[in-house]
Amino acid sequence: MMTLMFSLLVLAGPAADGDEIDHLALAALLMRDGHAERAQIELAKVNPKGEEVDRFQLWLLKGIASLRLKQPQSALVFLSRALEVKEDPQVHLLRAQAGAQLKRWDVVVEALDGAGSLSFRDPKLLIMRGTALLKLKRFGEAYALTERQLQHHPAAIGLVTIQVQALIGLQLYNSAAERALSMVTRAELTPRDGLRLVDSLRRAKRLDQALRCVEALTMRFPDDREVALLHARLLLKAKRVQAAANRLERAAWVDPSLASDAAELFRRAGNWTRARAWNARIQDPATKLNQRLGLLVSAERFDEVMALRHRLQRLGLGNDDKVRYALAFSAFRTGAFDQVDSLLEGIMSESVFEQAIELRRAASRCQVDPAGCL
């Protein structure tokens, strides 16, 4: 789009008076060199009603400067004024860009229509049109656009993503999944492209189809972190916790930063051996110890929780409200009722505070009658 902008910048002619600055010509030079703010200052000095002023050039430069400075509403106004002076398909394309920045999808489609055949030559402009049609819920038109244009631009993966989303919008879920699956083997497909396809199915709540697609994507990109995370997320959503843990474990062998996530999924699956093994691989000491605390509490190994107390304090975790409550609860469960109150001191978090009150009450009762609590 920057090439398009600069192709429209035509320098104004020299000033009649050699001592007079031609602000329009100077603004064009500034725009060419990437100084949009300085160009705006020069353009503000130009009188649009002046007899010698090239009004098309003036409004065009103002529109381009506004686009460069992320002022799309002003850009729309100035570019529309330029079109009132002279019809130009490239100016319509600039209006489409301003509409996209504003998320004014009706303006995007109208502007691309105004650009005529020029808007169908570049796959990026086709994707812009398709995206706008999807946002306007004109799914049939979006599908027809992609079906027609993929014949001319078969490598435009973005068009396929739009086609899948259009099929979902038309509630043709199986066709959408089949189209997405057909793309996974394409050489030009990147992991990001594949993730967008899967995510379209996920957001449409077509879990089975999304899983089929992400499984195929996993075969294609087995070591990609984001593919692994989305695959595990979908398996969790399908309540296949052990499968999700296994998937993340494979990824964690390649990317050690996923060790904590793998340990957490194994904990959820009730596989304490694997959870502890992956917890031991976590490189950050605070993260490792904090998660180990959670693992021990879940496994009801309260004596070991209490043994971590001094290490938690050394690493600065002892002041965390959830850690305080975990230690107090472990003291309660091991019969150290007299320690519960001091361990709960300082808890401020609303979500933990009410639990702490109940635990204090229980500890007080048990101090009176320890035998009745054990």
Side-chain angles (χ1 to χ4, degrees):
M1 195 61 74
M2 294 306 301
T3 302
L4 170 62
M5 287 183 185
F6 294 142
S7 71
L8 287 169
L9 297 182
V10 180
L11 290 179
D17 185 341
D19 295 329
E20 184 179 344
I21 297 175
D22 188 334
H23 298 290
L24 195 58
L26 179 56
L29 283 172
L30 288 166
M31 284 297 300
R32 285 179 184 272
D33 285 347
H35 302 293
E37 287 187 20
R38 292 171 59 192
Q40 267 192 342
I41 294 171
E42 293 303 319
L43 290 167
K45 299 174 183 177
V46 179
N47 180 6
K49 297 181 180 179
E51 292 185 7
E52 302 299 322
V53 172
D54 182 340
R55 291 177 182 79
F56 175 77
Q57 182 76 348
L58 172 63
W59 299 127
L60 175 62
L61 283 170
K62 279 178 170 283
I64 294 174
S66 295
L67 270 180
R68 290 282 303 277
L69 295 172
K70 305 297 182 187
Q71 300 164 356
Q73 189 60 57
S74 296
L76 274 182
V77 172
F78 294 136
L79 293 170
S80 296
R81 289 178 184 175
L83 287 170
E84 290 172 4
V85 177
K86 182 174 70 176
E87 184 69 22
D88 189 310
Q90 290 188 325
V91 179
H92 283 289
L93 294 184
L94 292 173
R95 286 188 72 245
Q97 185 182 355
Q101 286 185 17
L102 287 166
K103 301 190 187 317
R104 289 278 307 280
W105 307 112
D106 55 332
V107 172
V108 172
V109 175
E110 176 262 320
L112 290 173
D113 286 344
S117 61
L118 190 63
S119 68
F120 291 95
R121 296 177 187 173
D122 187 341
K124 291 181 181 177
L125 294 174
L126 293 169
I127 290 169
M128 181 188 288
R129 181 189 289 272
T131 299
L133 290 171
L134 289 175
K135 297 292 185 180
L136 293 168
K137 300 189 184 304
R138 291 158 61 174
F139 302 119
E141 292 176 62
Y143 177 79
L145 171 74
T146 56
E147 189 71 1
R148 184 170 58 252
Q149 293 301 325
L150 279 168
Q151 298 176 21
H152 305 292
H153 307 281
I157 299 296
L159 286 176
V160 180
T161 302
I162 289 170
Q163 186 171 80
V164 169
Q165 291 172 333
L167 287 166
I168 290 171
L170 294 168
Q171 299 184 9
L172 300 173
Y173 302 115
N174 289 331
S175 295
E178 289 170 8
R179 189 74 181 97
L181 282 166
S182 72
M183 294 305 300
V184 174
T185 57
R186 293 276 292 272
E188 61 270 29
L189 184 99
T190 68
R192 304 290 80 75
D193 294 326
L195 287 168
R196 280 192 287 270
L197 291 171
V198 174
D199 206 48
S200 297
L201 294 166
R202 180 192 65 80
R203 284 186 284 106
K205 300 182 179 179
R206 312 310 297 182
L207 184 57
D208 289 344
Q209 290 93 333
L211 272 171
R212 285 172 54 206
C213 193
V214 79
E215 285 163 1
L217 201 61
T218 291
M219 295 290 290
R220 176 80 185 277
F221 304 107
D223 296 336
D224 186 87
R225 174 192 174 92
E226 297 305 317
V227 171
L229 288 172
L230 182 57
H231 194 174
R233 180 180 178 184
L234 291 176
L235 287 167
L236 274 178
K237 199 167 186 64
K239 303 189 187 311
R240 296 167 58 186
V241 183
Q242 184 64 53
N246 292 339
R247 176 66 186 95
L248 220 51
E249 181 178 46
R250 294 198 301 274
W253 284 115
V254 178
D255 184 351
S257 70
L258 293 174
S260 176
D261 299 293
E264 171 59 19
L265 289 187
F266 278 118
R267 183 194 70 78
R268 292 194 200 181
N271 190 331
W272 307 111
T273 300
R274 301 305 303 153
R276 287 194 296 273
W278 280 103
N279 173 260
R281 293 177 179 273
I282 297 172
Q283 297 174 353
D284 178 64
T287 302
K288 178 190 291 188
L289 187 58
N290 200 19
Q291 187 179 62
R292 179 164 177 76
L293 176 68
L295 292 173
L296 292 173
V297 170
S298 295
E300 299 188 357
R301 296 169 65 169
F302 300 112
D303 286 323
E304 292 182 53
V305 171
M306 295 304 293
L308 294 178
R309 182 176 177 181
H310 296 299
R311 288 175 61 193
L312 289 164
Q313 292 290 350
R314 283 201 308 272
L315 289 173
L317 299 174
N319 293 326
D320 181 273
D321 284 353
K322 291 183 179 179
V323 171
R324 283 172 167 159
Y325 183 82
L327 288 169
F329 183 75
S330 299
F332 178 83
R333 291 296 300 271
T334 56
F337 306 123
D338 58 328
Q339 297 183 36
V340 170
D341 198 57
S342 61
L343 288 169
L344 291 173
E345 283 181 6
I347 287 180
M348 301 296 293
S349 170
E350 187 176 341
S351 60
V352 183
F353 192 74
E354 291 185 9
Q355 292 176 291
I357 290 174
E358 291 302 318
L359 187 58
R360 275 194 173 98
R361 289 173 178 169
S364 296
R365 289 195 300 270
C366 290
Q367 279 185 287
V368 175
D369 181 18
C373 292
L374 297 178

